[in-house]
Amino acid sequence: MPKHAVVDGSNIATEGRSEPSLKQLREAVVAFKDEYAFDIVTVIVDASFEHRVAKAEQKAARAAIDANEIITPPAGVIGRGDTFILQVADRAQAVVLSNDSFQEFHGEVGWLFDEGRLIGGKPIPGVGWVYVPRAPVRGPVSRRAKVNAGKDRPQTAPDKKVAKETAKKAVKKSAKKATKKPAVVKSNRPAMATEPSGPGANPRAPWDAFRKRHPEGSRVRATVEEFSSHGAYATSGGTTIYLPLRLMGDPAPRRARDVVTIGQSRRFVIHRYDEERQGIDAGVIPFRGSSGKTGRKTESSGKRPPRKGATVAAKKAAKKAAKKAPAKKAPAKKAPAKKAAKKAPAKKAPAKKAPAKKAPAKKAAKKAPAKKAPAKKAPAKKAAKKRR
């Protein structure tokens, strides 16, 4: 067992939090020293650590750095504090306390996979800090790092016998290539293009097997490996799963680190399988159905695809508006016709008044007999009789 331990301070101070805490880091280191009998424990944090902690802790963080309680890497170091942490641990043959897997260094730092060289820790409410040995998680970043390391690794000078055998093999290979027909070269191209590459892509066979075991809407346990600009990546049984922000909450969070943490193992809901890239989209929100073919195509494509339901609703609304529009205009055109019909009888009113003018004539006829008042002279005749 090594006598020296190097603590990834920024990682431990941020475990389960969105911003680092000096208080949490100190509690973790004290518990770590009590559980493991290391002679030396070196705590290393990023250069920006003292500026990212809460304002109430910034002075204490500065004092801890000045007192060498915690150490920061030199300014401008490539790879942030991770490079410095691994170099110190390599030189001191030390154990590393971190929940990070350091995937971008897997092509150079093979000792990370040695048993007992990496320890992880988490604070458990009511229990305290719990530490367990862990193995680095292998993922797409790890595979790229190994490929790049093979290209950039310097070659040592071979001895003369090995050099002669290598030269002979090279001559034989070149002779075989010269005799091959172009058709043979062309036949290899489709086979190379069948396996997609890039973040979130998977080989065909594991992807098909995973899809059969876990249909859309099912839950699967996966371990979060790394963050990206539009989400995070996790692995389950060697298969890479993409966790886009749009599936990490409703509404979607601004950052994936607000929902998950590196090294966290939890269940995610399978939402979509990407046929073209052999990708898998998952999240924490409930499954609402999928078209089955769309998916994340590039690292920069973080836009949410349009939903079919919204398009159908828009079309129905447009049809209803089109049907209602003519119905409203029809009464407006018929209104003048009805008014004209009503006004037509009104113009005939003078014709009806003609009989009314005859009324005085009738009255005159009736009054005419009244002028026969002289006929009432009969009494006068009676008077004449009386005289007789």
Side-chain angles (χ1 to χ4, degrees):
M1 182 81 177
K3 298 181 179 181
H4 194 150
V6 177
V7 179
D8 184 356
S10 296
N11 180 272
I12 297 299
T14 316
E15 178 59 41
R17 309 169 58 92
S18 58
E19 298 296 339
S21 168
L22 178 62
K23 180 182 177 181
Q24 176 170 298
L25 175 59
R26 282 175 167 169
E27 291 174 352
V29 172
V30 170
F32 186 68
K33 287 180 178 178
D34 291 342
E35 186 166 344
Y36 294 91
F38 289 107
D39 296 337
I40 303 173
V41 176
T42 303
V43 182
I44 301 176
V45 298
D46 295 335
S48 61
F49 179 81
E50 64 173 299
H51 304 292
R52 293 193 296 121
V53 296
K55 289 185 178 180
E57 294 184 330
Q58 289 182 357
K59 289 184 179 179
R62 180 70 259 175
I65 293 172
D66 293 339
N68 284 331
E69 177 187 346
I70 55 179
I71 298 172
T72 58
V77 66
I78 299 174
R80 301 169 298 173
D82 293 347
T83 303
F84 190 61
I85 289 170
L86 295 178
Q87 286 187 357
V88 173
D90 185 30
R91 186 169 297 184
Q93 296 295 305
V95 170
V96 176
L97 172 60
S98 177
N99 294 320
D100 192 357
S101 292
F102 304 98
Q103 291 195 46
E104 59 268 37
F105 302 97
H106 285 184
E108 306 169 8
V109 187
W111 55 263
L112 267 175
F113 295 90
D114 294 345
E115 186 177 356
R117 291 302 295 272
L118 185 62
I119 297 176
K122 284 182 177 291
I124 308 300
V127 177
W129 280 85
V130 177
Y131 301 98
V132 291
R134 56 185 296 263
V137 177
R138 301 176 188 267
V141 177
S142 173
R143 291 190 287 271
R144 288 197 298 270
K146 287 187 175 182
V147 171
N148 293 335
K151 293 178 181 178
D152 301 335
R153 188 175 297 159
Q155 300 294 326
T156 56
D159 74 71
K160 293 181 180 179
K161 289 183 178 180
V162 175
K164 287 181 180 179
E165 290 178 359
T166 304
K168 287 180 180 179
K169 289 180 180 179
V171 172
K172 289 180 180 179
K173 285 183 179 180
S174 61
K176 288 181 179 179
K177 288 180 180 180
T179 57
K180 284 183 179 180
K181 297 180 180 180
V184 176
V185 177
K186 288 183 179 180
S187 64
N188 292 332
R189 289 178 183 175
M192 294 175 63
T194 55
E195 295 295 343
S197 60
N202 292 282
R204 171 59 67 175
W207 185 80
D208 286 337
F210 186 91
R211 186 173 184 177
K212 290 179 181 178
R213 294 194 307 270
H214 307 287
E216 291 178 348
S218 63
R219 292 178 174 271
V220 61
R221 180 170 292 278
T223 303
V224 181
E225 288 190 359
E226 60 176 321
F227 296 123
S228 68
S229 58
H230 297 290
Y233 290 100
T235 58
S236 176
T239 305
T240 301
I241 299 174
Y242 176 58
L243 308 173
L245 291 178
R246 59 186 174 78
L247 299 180
M248 299 298 285
D250 190 7
R254 295 179 60 188
R255 305 177 305 175
R257 67 178 66 250
D258 296 337
V259 182
V260 296
T261 57
I262 299 297
Q264 180 184 14
S265 178
R266 60 177 293 179
R267 289 187 176 276
F268 296 99
V269 181
I270 302 298
H271 280 259
R272 180 179 295 107
Y273 285 96
D274 187 345
E275 295 282 357
E276 296 178 2
R277 299 188 62 259
Q278 294 161 209
I280 305 168
D281 288 2
V284 299
I285 65 175
F287 177 70
R288 300 188 182 94
S290 170
S291 62
K293 199 168 183 179
T294 58
R296 176 179 167 86
K297 291 187 177 180
T298 62
E299 177 66 11
S300 61
S301 62
K303 296 182 179 179
R304 182 181 296 181
R307 295 180 179 176
K308 289 187 176 181
T311 306
V312 173
K315 288 182 179 179
K316 288 183 178 178
K319 287 182 179 179
K320 287 182 180 179
K323 289 179 180 179
K324 289 180 180 179
K328 291 180 179 179
K329 291 181 180 178
K333 292 180 180 178
K334 292 178 180 179
K338 290 180 180 179
K339 289 180 180 178
K342 290 178 181 179
K343 289 181 180 179
K347 291 181 180 179
K348 294 179 181 179
K352 290 181 180 179
K353 289 180 181 179
K357 291 181 180 179
K358 293 178 180 179
K362 291 179 180 179
K363 289 180 181 179
K366 290 180 181 179
K367 290 180 180 180
K371 290 180 180 181
K372 294 179 180 180
K376 293 180 179 181
K377 291 179 179 181
K381 291 179 179 181
K382 291 179 180 180
K385 289 179 179 182
K386 287 179 179 182
R387 286 176 186 176
R388 289 176 184 179

